[in-house]
Amino acid sequence: MADINIGKAPPNNAVLPFYATATIAFWALCLLLFFDAGNLTNHYFNPHLLAIVHTAALGWGTMVIFGAAHQLLPVICERDLFSPTIAAICWYTLTAGVALLIVAFYNFYTGWVMISGGTLIVLSACAYFINVLFTSHICIRYSVVKLFVVTSGAWLLFTAIAGLLLAINLRYPFFSKSHLEILKLHAHAGLAGWFLQLITGVSSKLVPMFLLGKSARQKLLLYACLFQNAGLLFFLLDGYFFGITAARVIIYVILVAAGIVCWLMYLYDAFRSRVRKNIDIQMKHTFISFLCLGAAILLIPVIVYAAGSRWAILYGALLFMGWITGIILGKTFKTLPFIVWNAHYKTLSGKVKVPLPKQLYSEVLVKWQFRLYIAAVILLCAGIVINATVIIRIASAIWIMVSSLYVINVMKVLLHKTKIVS
Amino acid sequence: MTISLSDPFSEEKLKAQEALYSVIDPELFVNVIDLGLIYDVAFDGDNIVVTMTLSTPHCPMGEAITNGVQNALEKVFPGKEIRIDLTFDPPWGFEMLTQEGRMQLGLK
């Protein structure tokens, strides 16, 4: 073999436990949504809704993203993962932290349980950031994608620290500002800093790779990075020091939205030049998730100017259940079967006939998952808009079906046994 | 990969090509020959040197593909020393797909 490093996939314990835990968290999230459907018609600052949001953001979104990132960092940086041990520490601290935090929020234990949970999440974010920094530090080439991965990791750490301070503030108040105002800053650092920038960076690498498309317009990604970070940074500084005001919020939203437009233009450019013409169901999931992100952003002026918390809850539902969930539901079956396939068959390839990665899961279940996901998003949003608990409960029942199909399919992949095709 | 009939190893190269048709890129479901990943297979005594590329540097399936090439050639040329020279110069491009590869990817 020549001396070009094509990289070794990180050991499975740096990746698969995250997928398995996130899958269970997603199922738990849908159950919580079902049993607490009524809370989606109340103010967003209530214990059960806080538990639901943190299950979605940490147990589901962050957990699966950590797993995928440990697998993809070597692809993005063209080097091996810095430390699989740190990746494992990341899982232990995140899992324990999420469990403590969810119990604490659900029962509103504002004491050591919530603070310990928050501390573990901060440790997990630290561990992840160390792996990101050191893996990208030894990158051969500079790339905007790498920049996004680093900035998103930094925003996650910032969000986790802010969250821990908020948890301490609930028990031992020390913030001179309103808790709810700082909560908005914490939430947006997580959404526009961690999730948006990580998804922007990773999708800018993966979507062209999956479609066999190319875009020479790398500058669009640089503008995306600048606009997204500038908008978020101004929002946080202004919001903390001068208070959140409607007119200025719109300016920051426009900046972040400009960053999103630049990113989507880059993806569209790669999509237009794609070699692979067939669009599979996983890519359709991604497309619907982008629509949800667009709808959430268009909703911000309504949240700012309209009274009541229904629009804020709709905004959260579109982001967590529409955008983040949509992209994960699709991308799971673009990554996980390949990770598991590699572990079982990479040494057998060419020797004997082996199954293909797509044969490790059920495509029929993914099709149904996609259909039910669309129905669940539409009904959930409709239920929130018309303030109808019964519709939200029906939507949540469909979410339980979506998560059950997802659990079955992910477990089918994770529990796959090596077999030779005769 | 092009094979000249005047090449003294054309017969071996055709045999190697035939074997490599069985090595599939697990993500694209197209074999490495039709994807244009194999630049050259050189025979030198007991050594076989495969010069090849991947569709993207640090491709997550890279190890599986290079292992597949190694295994497929070991099967048809037992006792030979197989070496794989991975290169990204020139980098892989869509124009390297064969007509069959383009059809399998749904291209006209």
Short mmCIF file of all heavy atoms in Angstrom, two decimals, chain A residues 116-177:
data_model
loop_
_atom_site.label_atom_id
_atom_site.label_comp_id
_atom_site.label_asym_id
_atom_site.label_seq_id
_atom_site.Cartn_x
_atom_site.Cartn_y
_atom_site.Cartn_z
N SER A 116 -25.62 18.36 38.67
CA SER A 116 -24.71 17.26 38.29
C SER A 116 -24.92 16.88 36.83
O SER A 116 -23.95 16.66 36.09
CB SER A 116 -24.96 16.02 39.14
OG SER A 116 -24.96 16.35 40.48
N GLY A 117 -26.20 16.82 36.42
CA GLY A 117 -26.50 16.50 35.02
C GLY A 117 -25.85 17.52 34.10
O GLY A 117 -25.18 17.17 33.12
N GLY A 118 -26.02 18.81 34.45
CA GLY A 118 -25.44 19.89 33.63
C GLY A 118 -23.92 19.81 33.60
O GLY A 118 -23.30 20.01 32.55
N THR A 119 -23.32 19.46 34.74
CA THR A 119 -21.85 19.36 34.81
C THR A 119 -21.36 18.24 33.88
O THR A 119 -20.36 18.40 33.16
CB THR A 119 -21.40 19.07 36.26
OG1 THR A 119 -21.99 20.06 37.10
CG2 THR A 119 -19.90 19.10 36.41
N LEU A 120 -22.07 17.11 33.92
CA LEU A 120 -21.67 15.99 33.04
C LEU A 120 -21.79 16.37 31.57
O LEU A 120 -20.95 15.98 30.74
CB LEU A 120 -22.52 14.75 33.35
CG LEU A 120 -22.16 14.04 34.66
CD1 LEU A 120 -23.25 13.06 35.06
CD2 LEU A 120 -20.83 13.29 34.51
N ILE A 121 -22.84 17.14 31.24
CA ILE A 121 -22.99 17.57 29.84
C ILE A 121 -21.82 18.48 29.44
O ILE A 121 -21.29 18.37 28.33
CB ILE A 121 -24.33 18.32 29.63
CG1 ILE A 121 -25.54 17.49 30.07
CG2 ILE A 121 -24.49 18.80 28.18
CD1 ILE A 121 -25.89 16.33 29.23
N VAL A 122 -21.42 19.36 30.35
CA VAL A 122 -20.28 20.24 30.05
C VAL A 122 -19.02 19.40 29.84
O VAL A 122 -18.25 19.63 28.89
CB VAL A 122 -20.06 21.27 31.19
CG1 VAL A 122 -18.74 22.03 31.01
CG2 VAL A 122 -21.21 22.26 31.25
N LEU A 123 -18.82 18.39 30.69
CA LEU A 123 -17.64 17.52 30.54
C LEU A 123 -17.67 16.80 29.19
O LEU A 123 -16.65 16.67 28.51
CB LEU A 123 -17.59 16.48 31.67
CG LEU A 123 -17.24 17.03 33.06
CD1 LEU A 123 -17.32 15.92 34.10
CD2 LEU A 123 -15.83 17.64 33.05
N SER A 124 -18.87 16.36 28.80
CA SER A 124 -19.01 15.66 27.53
C SER A 124 -18.69 16.60 26.36
O SER A 124 -17.98 16.22 25.42
CB SER A 124 -20.44 15.12 27.41
OG SER A 124 -20.56 14.36 26.26
N ALA A 125 -19.22 17.82 26.44
CA ALA A 125 -18.96 18.80 25.37
C ALA A 125 -17.46 19.12 25.31
O ALA A 125 -16.90 19.29 24.22
CB ALA A 125 -19.77 20.07 25.62
N CYS A 126 -16.81 19.17 26.49
CA CYS A 126 -15.36 19.41 26.55
C CYS A 126 -14.61 18.27 25.85
O CYS A 126 -13.71 18.51 25.03
CB CYS A 126 -14.88 19.41 28.00
SG CYS A 126 -14.85 21.00 28.73
N ALA A 127 -14.99 17.04 26.20
CA ALA A 127 -14.32 15.87 25.63
C ALA A 127 -14.48 15.87 24.10
O ALA A 127 -13.51 15.64 23.36
CB ALA A 127 -14.93 14.59 26.22
N TYR A 128 -15.69 16.16 23.65
CA TYR A 128 -15.95 16.19 22.20
C TYR A 128 -15.08 17.26 21.54
O TYR A 128 -14.46 17.03 20.50
CB TYR A 128 -17.44 16.46 21.96
CG TYR A 128 -17.78 16.71 20.52
CD1 TYR A 128 -17.85 15.67 19.60
CD2 TYR A 128 -18.04 18.01 20.05
CE1 TYR A 128 -18.15 15.91 18.26
CE2 TYR A 128 -18.34 18.25 18.72
CZ TYR A 128 -18.39 17.20 17.83
OH TYR A 128 -18.69 17.45 16.51
N PHE A 129 -15.04 18.44 22.17
CA PHE A 129 -14.30 19.56 21.59
C PHE A 129 -12.80 19.25 21.51
O PHE A 129 -12.12 19.62 20.54
CB PHE A 129 -14.57 20.83 22.40
CG PHE A 129 -14.14 22.09 21.70
CD1 PHE A 129 -14.51 22.35 20.39
CD2 PHE A 129 -13.34 23.03 22.34
CE1 PHE A 129 -14.12 23.50 19.72
CE2 PHE A 129 -12.93 24.19 21.69
CZ PHE A 129 -13.32 24.43 20.39
N ILE A 130 -12.30 18.55 22.52
CA ILE A 130 -10.87 18.17 22.50
C ILE A 130 -10.60 17.27 21.29
O ILE A 130 -9.65 17.47 20.53
CB ILE A 130 -10.48 17.44 23.82
CG1 ILE A 130 -10.46 18.43 24.97
CG2 ILE A 130 -9.12 16.73 23.70
CD1 ILE A 130 -10.32 17.80 26.35
N ASN A 131 -11.48 16.29 21.07
CA ASN A 131 -11.31 15.39 19.92
C ASN A 131 -11.40 16.16 18.60
O ASN A 131 -10.62 15.91 17.67
CB ASN A 131 -12.39 14.30 19.95
CG ASN A 131 -11.78 12.92 20.12
OD1 ASN A 131 -10.59 12.71 19.88
ND2 ASN A 131 -12.59 11.97 20.53
N VAL A 132 -12.35 17.09 18.53
CA VAL A 132 -12.50 17.90 17.31
C VAL A 132 -11.25 18.73 17.07
O VAL A 132 -10.68 18.74 15.97
CB VAL A 132 -13.74 18.83 17.42
CG1 VAL A 132 -13.72 19.90 16.33
CG2 VAL A 132 -15.02 18.01 17.32
N LEU A 133 -10.80 19.41 18.13
CA LEU A 133 -9.64 20.30 17.98
C LEU A 133 -8.39 19.54 17.56
O LEU A 133 -7.70 19.94 16.63
CB LEU A 133 -9.35 21.01 19.30
CG LEU A 133 -10.04 22.35 19.54
CD1 LEU A 133 -9.49 22.99 20.81
CD2 LEU A 133 -9.87 23.29 18.37
N PHE A 134 -8.14 18.43 18.25
CA PHE A 134 -6.90 17.71 17.95
C PHE A 134 -6.97 16.92 16.65
O PHE A 134 -5.95 16.73 16.00
CB PHE A 134 -6.48 16.83 19.13
CG PHE A 134 -5.87 17.63 20.24
CD1 PHE A 134 -6.63 18.09 21.29
CD2 PHE A 134 -4.52 17.98 20.21
CE1 PHE A 134 -6.08 18.87 22.30
CE2 PHE A 134 -3.95 18.76 21.21
CZ PHE A 134 -4.74 19.20 22.26
N THR A 135 -8.16 16.46 16.27
CA THR A 135 -8.26 15.78 14.97
C THR A 135 -8.10 16.79 13.84
O THR A 135 -7.41 16.55 12.86
CB THR A 135 -9.60 15.02 14.83
OG1 THR A 135 -9.78 14.20 15.97
CG2 THR A 135 -9.64 14.16 13.58
N SER A 136 -8.73 17.96 14.00
CA SER A 136 -8.65 18.95 12.92
C SER A 136 -7.30 19.66 12.92
O SER A 136 -6.84 20.11 11.87
CB SER A 136 -9.79 19.97 13.05
OG SER A 136 -9.72 20.60 14.30
N HIS A 137 -6.65 19.70 14.07
CA HIS A 137 -5.33 20.34 14.17
C HIS A 137 -4.32 19.65 13.25
O HIS A 137 -3.43 20.30 12.70
CB HIS A 137 -4.87 20.27 15.63
CG HIS A 137 -3.49 20.80 15.85
ND1 HIS A 137 -3.21 22.14 15.70
CD2 HIS A 137 -2.33 20.19 16.18
CE1 HIS A 137 -1.91 22.32 15.93
NE2 HIS A 137 -1.36 21.16 16.23
N ILE A 138 -4.49 18.33 13.12
CA ILE A 138 -3.52 17.60 12.28
C ILE A 138 -4.03 17.42 10.87
O ILE A 138 -3.54 16.60 10.12
CB ILE A 138 -3.16 16.23 12.92
CG1 ILE A 138 -4.41 15.48 13.32
CG2 ILE A 138 -2.21 16.39 14.07
CD1 ILE A 138 -4.17 14.08 13.83
N CYS A 139 -5.07 18.20 10.50
CA CYS A 139 -5.58 18.16 9.13
C CYS A 139 -4.48 18.59 8.16
O CYS A 139 -3.71 19.49 8.47
CB CYS A 139 -6.71 19.17 8.96
SG CYS A 139 -8.32 18.44 9.03
N ILE A 140 -4.50 17.96 6.99
CA ILE A 140 -3.50 18.35 6.00
C ILE A 140 -3.86 19.72 5.42
O ILE A 140 -3.04 20.59 5.26
CB ILE A 140 -3.46 17.35 4.82
CG1 ILE A 140 -3.42 15.93 5.34
CG2 ILE A 140 -2.30 17.64 3.90
CD1 ILE A 140 -3.66 14.91 4.26
N ARG A 141 -5.15 19.87 5.12
CA ARG A 141 -5.55 21.07 4.40
C ARG A 141 -6.57 21.86 5.20
O ARG A 141 -7.36 21.30 5.93
CB ARG A 141 -6.17 20.68 3.05
CG ARG A 141 -5.18 20.18 2.06
CD ARG A 141 -5.86 19.76 0.82
NE ARG A 141 -6.91 18.77 1.09
CZ ARG A 141 -7.53 18.09 0.15
NH1 ARG A 141 -7.26 18.31 -1.08
NH2 ARG A 141 -8.46 17.22 0.47
N TYR A 142 -6.56 23.16 4.93
CA TYR A 142 -7.58 24.00 5.52
C TYR A 142 -8.86 23.79 4.73
O TYR A 142 -8.85 23.65 3.52
CB TYR A 142 -7.14 25.48 5.41
CG TYR A 142 -8.28 26.43 5.49
CD1 TYR A 142 -8.80 26.80 6.72
CD2 TYR A 142 -8.86 26.93 4.32
CE1 TYR A 142 -9.87 27.65 6.79
CE2 TYR A 142 -9.92 27.79 4.39
CZ TYR A 142 -10.43 28.15 5.62
OH TYR A 142 -11.50 28.99 5.69
N SER A 143 -9.99 23.73 5.39
CA SER A 143 -11.25 23.69 4.66
C SER A 143 -12.33 24.36 5.49
O SER A 143 -12.26 24.38 6.72
CB SER A 143 -11.64 22.25 4.32
OG SER A 143 -12.22 21.64 5.44
N VAL A 144 -13.31 24.94 4.79
CA VAL A 144 -14.39 25.64 5.50
C VAL A 144 -15.21 24.62 6.29
O VAL A 144 -15.72 24.92 7.36
CB VAL A 144 -15.31 26.39 4.51
CG1 VAL A 144 -16.24 27.33 5.26
CG2 VAL A 144 -14.50 27.15 3.50
N VAL A 145 -15.31 23.41 5.73
CA VAL A 145 -16.07 22.36 6.42
C VAL A 145 -15.47 22.12 7.80
O VAL A 145 -16.18 22.03 8.80
CB VAL A 145 -16.08 21.08 5.56
CG1 VAL A 145 -16.66 19.92 6.33
CG2 VAL A 145 -16.84 21.30 4.27
N LYS A 146 -14.15 22.05 7.84
CA LYS A 146 -13.44 21.85 9.11
C LYS A 146 -13.72 23.03 10.06
O LYS A 146 -13.96 22.84 11.25
CB LYS A 146 -11.94 21.75 8.81
CG LYS A 146 -11.10 21.39 10.00
CD LYS A 146 -9.64 21.41 9.65
CE LYS A 146 -8.99 22.67 10.16
NZ LYS A 146 -7.54 22.71 9.90
N LEU A 147 -13.74 24.21 9.49
CA LEU A 147 -14.02 25.41 10.29
C LEU A 147 -15.40 25.31 10.95
O LEU A 147 -15.56 25.63 12.13
CB LEU A 147 -13.95 26.63 9.36
CG LEU A 147 -13.93 28.01 10.02
CD1 LEU A 147 -12.71 28.18 10.89
CD2 LEU A 147 -13.97 29.10 8.95
N PHE A 148 -16.38 24.86 10.18
CA PHE A 148 -17.74 24.70 10.71
C PHE A 148 -17.75 23.68 11.87
O PHE A 148 -18.43 23.87 12.86
CB PHE A 148 -18.70 24.20 9.63
CG PHE A 148 -19.38 25.31 8.88
CD1 PHE A 148 -19.16 25.50 7.53
CD2 PHE A 148 -20.27 26.16 9.53
CE1 PHE A 148 -19.79 26.52 6.84
CE2 PHE A 148 -20.90 27.17 8.85
CZ PHE A 148 -20.66 27.36 7.50
N VAL A 149 -17.01 22.60 11.69
CA VAL A 149 -17.00 21.56 12.73
C VAL A 149 -16.38 22.12 14.01
O VAL A 149 -16.87 21.86 15.11
CB VAL A 149 -16.26 20.30 12.22
CG1 VAL A 149 -16.11 19.28 13.33
CG2 VAL A 149 -17.01 19.68 11.05
N VAL A 150 -15.33 22.91 13.86
CA VAL A 150 -14.66 23.49 15.04
C VAL A 150 -15.56 24.54 15.70
O VAL A 150 -15.76 24.52 16.92
CB VAL A 150 -13.29 24.09 14.65
CG1 VAL A 150 -12.67 24.83 15.82
CG2 VAL A 150 -12.34 22.99 14.18
N THR A 151 -16.13 25.45 14.90
CA THR A 151 -16.96 26.51 15.51
C THR A 151 -18.20 25.89 16.18
O THR A 151 -18.59 26.31 17.26
CB THR A 151 -17.42 27.57 14.48
OG1 THR A 151 -18.07 26.92 13.40
CG2 THR A 151 -16.27 28.40 13.97
N SER A 152 -18.77 24.86 15.55
CA SER A 152 -19.97 24.25 16.15
C SER A 152 -19.61 23.59 17.49
O SER A 152 -20.38 23.69 18.45
CB SER A 152 -20.62 23.25 15.20
OG SER A 152 -19.76 22.17 14.97
N GLY A 153 -18.44 22.97 17.55
CA GLY A 153 -18.00 22.35 18.80
C GLY A 153 -17.81 23.40 19.90
O GLY A 153 -18.16 23.18 21.06
N ALA A 154 -17.27 24.56 19.50
CA ALA A 154 -17.07 25.65 20.47
C ALA A 154 -18.42 26.17 20.95
O ALA A 154 -18.62 26.44 22.14
CB ALA A 154 -16.26 26.77 19.82
N TRP A 155 -19.38 26.30 20.03
CA TRP A 155 -20.72 26.78 20.42
C TRP A 155 -21.42 25.76 21.33
O TRP A 155 -22.15 26.14 22.23
CB TRP A 155 -21.59 27.04 19.18
CG TRP A 155 -21.28 28.35 18.51
CD1 TRP A 155 -20.82 28.53 17.25
CD2 TRP A 155 -21.42 29.66 19.07
NE1 TRP A 155 -20.66 29.87 16.98
CE2 TRP A 155 -21.03 30.59 18.09
CE3 TRP A 155 -21.84 30.15 20.32
CZ2 TRP A 155 -21.03 31.97 18.30
CZ3 TRP A 155 -21.84 31.52 20.53
CH2 TRP A 155 -21.45 32.41 19.53
N LEU A 156 -21.18 24.49 21.10
CA LEU A 156 -21.79 23.47 21.97
C LEU A 156 -21.26 23.63 23.40
O LEU A 156 -22.04 23.60 24.36
CB LEU A 156 -21.47 22.06 21.45
CG LEU A 156 -21.90 20.94 22.40
CD1 LEU A 156 -23.41 20.86 22.53
CD2 LEU A 156 -21.34 19.60 21.98
N LEU A 157 -19.96 23.83 23.49
CA LEU A 157 -19.36 24.00 24.82
C LEU A 157 -19.92 25.24 25.50
O LEU A 157 -20.30 25.22 26.68
CB LEU A 157 -17.83 24.10 24.67
CG LEU A 157 -17.01 24.07 25.94
CD1 LEU A 157 -17.33 22.86 26.81
CD2 LEU A 157 -15.52 24.07 25.61
N PHE A 158 -20.03 26.32 24.73
CA PHE A 158 -20.59 27.56 25.27
C PHE A 158 -22.04 27.33 25.73
O PHE A 158 -22.43 27.74 26.83
CB PHE A 158 -20.54 28.65 24.17
CG PHE A 158 -21.26 29.92 24.55
CD1 PHE A 158 -20.63 30.89 25.32
CD2 PHE A 158 -22.58 30.15 24.15
CE1 PHE A 158 -21.29 32.06 25.67
CE2 PHE A 158 -23.24 31.30 24.50
CZ PHE A 158 -22.60 32.26 25.27
N THR A 159 -22.82 26.65 24.90
CA THR A 159 -24.24 26.38 25.23
C THR A 159 -24.34 25.55 26.50
O THR A 159 -25.18 25.81 27.37
CB THR A 159 -24.92 25.61 24.07
OG1 THR A 159 -24.66 26.31 22.86
CG2 THR A 159 -26.40 25.48 24.27
N ALA A 160 -23.49 24.53 26.61
CA ALA A 160 -23.54 23.64 27.77
C ALA A 160 -23.16 24.41 29.05
O ALA A 160 -23.81 24.24 30.09
CB ALA A 160 -22.60 22.46 27.56
N ILE A 161 -22.15 25.27 28.94
CA ILE A 161 -21.74 26.06 30.13
C ILE A 161 -22.88 27.02 30.52
O ILE A 161 -23.23 27.14 31.70
CB ILE A 161 -20.42 26.81 29.85
CG1 ILE A 161 -19.28 25.80 29.72
CG2 ILE A 161 -20.12 27.81 30.97
CD1 ILE A 161 -17.96 26.38 29.23
N ALA A 162 -23.47 27.67 29.51
CA ALA A 162 -24.59 28.59 29.80
C ALA A 162 -25.74 27.82 30.45
O ALA A 162 -26.37 28.30 31.40
CB ALA A 162 -25.05 29.26 28.51
N GLY A 163 -25.99 26.60 29.96
CA GLY A 163 -27.06 25.77 30.51
C GLY A 163 -26.77 25.40 31.97
O GLY A 163 -27.67 25.44 32.81
N LEU A 164 -25.51 25.07 32.23
CA LEU A 164 -25.13 24.72 33.62
C LEU A 164 -25.34 25.93 34.54
O LEU A 164 -25.87 25.80 35.65
CB LEU A 164 -23.67 24.25 33.65
CG LEU A 164 -23.07 23.98 35.03
CD1 LEU A 164 -23.85 22.89 35.78
CD2 LEU A 164 -21.60 23.57 34.92
N LEU A 165 -24.93 27.10 34.06
CA LEU A 165 -25.11 28.32 34.87
C LEU A 165 -26.59 28.58 35.13
O LEU A 165 -26.99 28.98 36.23
CB LEU A 165 -24.46 29.53 34.17
CG LEU A 165 -22.94 29.47 34.04
CD1 LEU A 165 -22.41 30.68 33.27
CD2 LEU A 165 -22.27 29.42 35.42
N LEU A 166 -27.43 28.31 34.11
CA LEU A 166 -28.88 28.48 34.29
C LEU A 166 -29.41 27.49 35.34
O LEU A 166 -30.28 27.84 36.15
CB LEU A 166 -29.61 28.28 32.96
CG LEU A 166 -29.55 29.47 32.00
CD1 LEU A 166 -30.00 29.06 30.60
CD2 LEU A 166 -30.42 30.62 32.49
N ALA A 167 -28.89 26.26 35.30
CA ALA A 167 -29.33 25.24 36.28
C ALA A 167 -28.93 25.67 37.69
O ALA A 167 -29.71 25.54 38.64
CB ALA A 167 -28.69 23.89 35.94
N ILE A 168 -27.71 26.22 37.83
CA ILE A 168 -27.27 26.71 39.15
C ILE A 168 -28.15 27.89 39.57
O ILE A 168 -28.56 28.01 40.72
CB ILE A 168 -25.77 27.10 39.10
CG1 ILE A 168 -24.91 25.85 38.78
CG2 ILE A 168 -25.32 27.74 40.42
CD1 ILE A 168 -23.46 26.14 38.47
N ASN A 169 -28.45 28.75 38.60
CA ASN A 169 -29.24 29.95 38.88
C ASN A 169 -30.65 29.62 39.39
O ASN A 169 -31.23 30.38 40.15
CB ASN A 169 -29.32 30.80 37.61
CG ASN A 169 -29.90 32.18 37.86
OD1 ASN A 169 -29.35 32.94 38.64
ND2 ASN A 169 -31.02 32.48 37.23
N LEU A 170 -31.17 28.46 38.96
CA LEU A 170 -32.51 28.07 39.43
C LEU A 170 -32.50 27.77 40.94
O LEU A 170 -33.48 27.99 41.64
CB LEU A 170 -33.01 26.84 38.66
CG LEU A 170 -33.63 27.08 37.29
CD1 LEU A 170 -33.99 25.75 36.63
CD2 LEU A 170 -34.87 27.96 37.36
N ARG A 171 -31.38 27.23 41.42
CA ARG A 171 -31.28 26.84 42.83
C ARG A 171 -30.65 27.96 43.68
O ARG A 171 -31.10 28.25 44.78
CB ARG A 171 -30.40 25.57 42.93
CG ARG A 171 -30.31 24.98 44.31
CD ARG A 171 -31.61 24.23 44.64
NE ARG A 171 -31.52 23.53 45.91
CZ ARG A 171 -31.84 24.09 47.08
NH1 ARG A 171 -32.25 25.33 47.11
NH2 ARG A 171 -31.77 23.37 48.19
N TYR A 172 -29.58 28.55 43.11
CA TYR A 172 -28.87 29.63 43.82
C TYR A 172 -28.83 30.85 42.90
O TYR A 172 -27.82 31.04 42.20
CB TYR A 172 -27.44 29.19 44.17
CG TYR A 172 -27.35 27.85 44.86
CD1 TYR A 172 -26.94 26.71 44.16
CD2 TYR A 172 -27.67 27.72 46.21
CE1 TYR A 172 -26.87 25.47 44.77
CE2 TYR A 172 -27.60 26.47 46.83
CZ TYR A 172 -27.19 25.36 46.10
OH TYR A 172 -27.13 24.15 46.72
N PRO A 173 -29.89 31.65 42.87
CA PRO A 173 -29.96 32.74 41.89
C PRO A 173 -28.78 33.72 42.00
O PRO A 173 -28.46 34.16 43.10
CB PRO A 173 -31.28 33.43 42.23
CG PRO A 173 -32.05 32.44 43.02
CD PRO A 173 -31.05 31.61 43.75
N PHE A 174 -28.15 33.97 40.89
CA PHE A 174 -27.04 34.93 40.89
C PHE A 174 -27.05 35.83 39.65
O PHE A 174 -26.37 36.85 39.62
CB PHE A 174 -25.68 34.20 40.99
CG PHE A 174 -25.37 33.33 39.79
CD1 PHE A 174 -24.62 33.83 38.74
CD2 PHE A 174 -25.83 32.03 39.73
CE1 PHE A 174 -24.33 33.03 37.64
CE2 PHE A 174 -25.55 31.23 38.62
CZ PHE A 174 -24.81 31.73 37.59
N PHE A 175 -27.83 35.46 38.60
CA PHE A 175 -27.88 36.30 37.39
C PHE A 175 -28.65 37.58 37.71
O PHE A 175 -29.72 37.53 38.33
CB PHE A 175 -28.63 35.57 36.26
CG PHE A 175 -27.76 34.65 35.44
CD1 PHE A 175 -28.18 33.35 35.16
CD2 PHE A 175 -26.55 35.09 34.93
CE1 PHE A 175 -27.39 32.49 34.40
CE2 PHE A 175 -25.76 34.22 34.16
CZ PHE A 175 -26.18 32.93 33.91
N SER A 176 -28.09 38.70 37.27
CA SER A 176 -28.82 39.97 37.48
C SER A 176 -29.89 40.13 36.40
O SER A 176 -30.82 40.91 36.54
CB SER A 176 -27.84 41.14 37.45
OG SER A 176 -27.13 41.12 36.22
N LYS A 177 -29.75 39.38 35.30
CA LYS A 177 -30.72 39.47 34.19
C LYS A 177 -31.83 38.45 34.42
O LYS A 177 -31.69 37.52 35.22
CB LYS A 177 -30.03 39.14 32.85
CG LYS A 177 -28.66 39.70 32.68
CD LYS A 177 -28.70 41.05 32.02
CE LYS A 177 -27.30 41.63 31.95
NZ LYS A 177 -27.30 43.03 31.56
#
